[in-house]
Amino acid sequence: MITGATSGIGEACARKFAAGGYDLIITARRQERLEALKRELAEMGAAVTTLCFDVRDLEATKAALAGLDGLAIDVLINNAGLALGLEKEYEGDFDDWNTMIDTNVKGLLTVTRLIVPGMVKRNSGHVINIGSVAGDAAYAGGAVYCATKAAVKTITDGLRIDLAETAVRVTNIKPGLVETNFSVVRFHGDEQRAENVYKGIEPLTGADIADVAFYAASAPKHVQIAEVLVLATHQASGSVIHRD
């Protein structure tokens, strides 16, 4: 099951896991994109279930996942997330803050809460959370987004501790610069400003992160890939980037 599956890292994960022989449950907010991706994945031989809901909506999420009729989920990829704005913290937009916190933190918690009990009951499963290098240290203009990704790290670590007596594995993948629709969303559709984020450096792709997720899921059952930081070659941290 992959949340936020119709763009960026989520979409790349859907393709990677379909190619790797998994059947998929893909979720997102836009039904037309879900159906288009479903057709593509079905051509790869995957059985695909689509669920259209916003992880920020608790009742809609409960209703959507209740419709799975006890379907066993082997791997949950909590990918749904976003950044909005790059203003100074004291000039930030309240709506942007709420959207980031409700999606990146509360939405991840909701889906985890609804799916993991089934994994515990079966004593089998894997939760892969898509965090960020931004969760390691704040950078200018990113305080709230960085805080949400720091929360993802802490939540992931806490879940791993809570599941230590089970065979359920928990992974946090922390990408650096990944060229997806991420920056277009952050800058509210300003494509020129988004393009500038990746100028002078070869960034990661969604497929690069999907490769890491698939590796973690494919590791032997006694191996738990707890946390992976993945950076572009000329990126040293969230704020140190060498550009040509």
Side-chain angles (χ1 to χ4, degrees):
M1 177 175 167
I2 304 167
T3 66
T6 56
S7 66
I9 293 171
E11 185 175 2
C13 284
R15 293 194 179 103
K16 181 69 177 183
F17 278 77
Y22 281 81
D23 294 326
L24 298 173
I25 301 165
I26 53 174
T27 88
R29 293 174 296 137
R30 291 165 289 193
Q31 186 67 49
E32 67 280 1
R33 291 198 176 189
L34 281 169
E35 293 304 322
L37 182 58
K38 178 179 180 177
R39 289 191 293 271
E40 177 185 338
L41 299 175
E43 291 177 359
M44 300 170 65
V48 183
T49 299
T50 63
L51 297 176
C52 186
F53 65 93
D54 189 331
V55 296
R56 293 179 296 168
D57 187 328
L58 175 61
E59 295 307 318
T61 304
K62 285 182 176 179
L65 299 187
L68 294 176
D69 296 324
L71 187 65
I73 294 173
D74 300 299
V75 179
L76 167 63
I77 301 180
N78 277 314
N79 167 75
L82 76 169
L84 291 170
L86 202 60
E87 296 81 18
K88 295 180 184 297
E89 185 176 333
Y90 59 85
E91 297 173 339
D93 182 274
F94 291 108
D95 289 337
D96 285 353
W97 290 353
N98 286 332
T99 299
M100 286 188 284
I101 292 168
D102 289 349
T103 305
N104 300 357
V105 181
K106 293 167 67 177
L108 181 148
L109 280 170
T110 297
V111 175
T112 300
R113 174 64 181 83
L114 294 172
I115 297 299
V116 170
M119 293 181 174
V120 172
K121 184 177 181 179
R122 296 187 304 275
N123 197 35
S124 177
H126 195 160
V127 178
I128 300 175
N129 291 333
I130 305 300
S132 172
V133 64
D136 288 347
Y139 55 73
V144 176
Y145 173 68
C146 292
T148 67
K149 289 303 184 177
V152 170
K153 172 179 170 50
T154 305
I155 289 165
T156 307
D157 290 345
L159 180 63
R160 192 181 305 110
I161 292 167
D162 291 340
L163 291 170
E165 64 186 14
T166 78
V168 180
R169 301 182 293 181
V170 184
T171 299
N172 183 23
I173 300 176
K174 305 187 300 184
L177 277 178
V178 183
E179 188 167 12
T180 64
N181 201 44
F182 176 88
S183 290
V184 176
V185 172
R186 163 166 251 170
F187 298 127
H188 300 282
D190 187 336
E191 294 186 5
Q192 182 59 54
R193 192 177 179 192
E195 288 176 6
N196 289 335
V197 173
Y198 310 106
K199 280 189 174 179
I201 184 172
E202 182 177 355
L204 302 167
T205 67
D208 295 326
I209 307 307
D211 285 345
V212 176
F214 191 82
Y215 172 78
S218 303
K221 294 300 182 183
H222 70 286
V223 177
Q224 180 170 217
I225 308 299
E227 185 171 287
V228 185
L229 175 64
V230 191
L231 302 176
T233 298
H234 293 291
Q235 179 178 17
S237 70
S239 57
V240 177
I241 300 168
H242 172 75
R243 301 178 189 273
D244 292 330

